[in-house]
Amino acid sequence: SCVSELLPYPDCRNCSCNHVGTKAGCVNCQCKDFVEGSQCDGCKAGHFALSPVHETGCLPCFCSHVSAQCSPAVTASSFVSSLFDYTADGWELTGGSRTSASPSSSVRELHVRDFSLYTGVLSNFSSPVFFSAPPKFLGNRAASYGGYLNFSYSANFIQEHRANDSLHVWLVGKETAVKHLVRGQMKSNKLYTIRIPLLESMWESREDQLQRSSFMDILVDLRAILISASFASPSKFTRLRSPSLTTRTLLTPLRALVKSIPPSQFVEQCVCPFGYIGSSCENCIDGYFKSGKICQKCSCNSRANLCDDSGNCLGCSEGTTGPHCETCLPGYYQVSPFSCSKCPCPRHGSCMIDKEGEVRCSKCPPGVTGNLCDRCMKGYYG
């Protein structure tokens, strides 16, 4: 018989189809959904990373919805973690809405013991309570796609016979949240090792089927990671141990060559339009700010190069101030639209333009007079 990559027996010749990108066939290649080419050896436009780990052959470019050109990035993998050796490391208990978690008053304070984080739960809850990850786990996690959220977990339940208590894990983004359900009834006091892939197929949302683009929207601005700390059945305590999250750092082509690191199967390197930066075009360059999902140019009347996330200009120059550097600072006056000059007044005093269009100082020092405070009053000299 022939091996799977060869034509049917007895005509065993090398198959012309790339088996990584092929559904079936060896002469007339049937390509996977996002693969093209007579030999199924390339990704379709707008896709990247031909690999056997992808059911569709390649992944669609995300690029923050502003570009459809991408290629596999080269990355070095690491992780962010909490050891719980002496402190809770910023982890908190939160309750209420999953998309606006707030500190809970219904549970005892967290305490650290045996490299684990413990909480004692008093009774049933009308709303769930969660372990909430600290800021170092959050923010821009686009490069974590395809990695893992890991932790160990146990609970000491009060009742032997109880409802089916499942562990819920939430990723909360700017506009939406997704859930992973660790199915099956947990045994009391058993320490479970949980490893959840950061892939859209492993998470649930209100969409009929969570799309990669929607999942990436959450990862590029991850606001919360929530892990169940309470269940429908009361428990004496719940325990969280060794939480970690995959992180990746983009490498320069030279460093990747020196280290012989192959391209990533999950992280994209997008060709971004002007104004955007980042492997997924998720950030704005200096002089631009993010309005929704679009990078817009700062409007500072050529008096500043930077603005904040709301578009308010930072570091206005030439005596200007205001959200768009459109007004004059105290001690300056407007000589033309968006152009200010320093008041010719003593002691850095303020000034105005009078009805005749002349500059007039607002207030002169004692004993001084004149439109520009440039003469001594009668009875004074100097």
Side-chain angles (χ1 to χ4, degrees), residues 50-302:
L50 177 63
S51 170
V53 303
H54 307 314
E55 184 178 352
T56 54
C58 301
L59 291 175
C61 298
F62 166 62
C63 300
S64 300
H65 311 282
V66 297
S67 174
Q69 299 181 57
C70 72
S71 58
V74 181
T75 63
S77 294
S78 184
F79 58 88
V80 58
S81 64
S82 290
L83 184 59
F84 301 140
D85 46 358
Y86 299 108
T87 70
D89 198 28
W91 285 79
E92 296 179 346
L93 287 173
T94 64
S97 171
R98 291 179 295 272
T99 56
S100 59
S102 58
S104 173
S105 60
S106 302
V107 295
R108 299 171 185 169
E109 291 185 1
L110 292 169
H111 59 276
V112 175
R113 187 175 76 250
D114 301 328
F115 297 98
S116 299
L117 195 61
Y118 288 83
T119 181
V121 180
L122 299 178
S123 62
N124 294 338
F125 294 93
S126 58
S127 61
V129 177
F130 298 92
F131 292 105
S132 180
K136 70 178 184 178
F137 280 76
L138 310 177
N140 180 3
R141 293 299 174 195
S144 295
Y145 180 83
Y148 295 90
L149 173 63
N150 304 297
F151 59 91
S152 296
Y153 191 94
S154 67
N156 185 310
F157 293 101
I158 296 173
Q159 300 171 349
E160 182 178 353
H161 301 287
R162 62 188 193 278
N164 186 10
D165 295 303
S166 297
L167 180 65
H168 292 72
V169 182
W170 289 86
L171 301 181
V172 182
K174 182 179 180 180
E175 298 177 351
T176 187
V178 292
K179 176 183 69 175
H180 178 88
L181 184 62
V182 181
R183 301 187 183 277
Q185 189 176 47
M186 297 185 64
K187 294 182 179 180
S188 186
N189 284 327
K190 180 178 179 179
L191 186 64
Y192 292 86
T193 299
I194 311 297
R195 183 176 173 87
I196 310 174
L198 296 173
L199 295 169
E200 62 274 12
S201 59
M202 302 301 297
W203 299 81
E204 302 174 15
S205 74
R206 293 181 178 179
E207 298 180 18
D208 292 337
Q209 183 177 358
L210 181 63
Q211 301 297 315
R212 168 174 148 81
S213 59
S214 299
F215 189 63
M216 288 295 295
D217 279 331
I218 293 174
L219 291 184
V220 296
D221 191 4
L222 187 59
R223 302 290 181 92
I225 298 175
L226 305 176
I227 302 171
S228 294
S230 67
F231 298 89
S233 301
S235 59
K236 294 180 181 179
F237 66 79
T238 51
R239 174 189 180 190
L240 179 67
R241 182 183 175 97
S242 304
S244 68
L245 181 75
T246 300
T247 61
R248 296 190 182 96
T249 303
L250 269 68
L251 302 181
T252 63
L254 178 59
R255 189 177 178 190
L257 181 64
V258 170
K259 290 180 172 290
S260 300
I261 298 177
S264 172
Q265 297 176 328
F266 296 100
V267 183
E268 63 188 5
Q269 181 63 65
C270 297
V271 179
C272 302
F274 188 78
Y276 298 82
I277 196 171
S279 63
S280 293
C281 308
E282 68 272 24
N283 297 317
C284 302
I285 64 172
D286 288 348
Y288 286 72
F289 72 100
K290 189 66 81 66
S291 176
K293 297 178 181 178
I294 304 300
C295 288
Q296 294 187 358
K297 187 174 177 62
C298 300
S299 177
C300 300
N301 296 298
S302 301

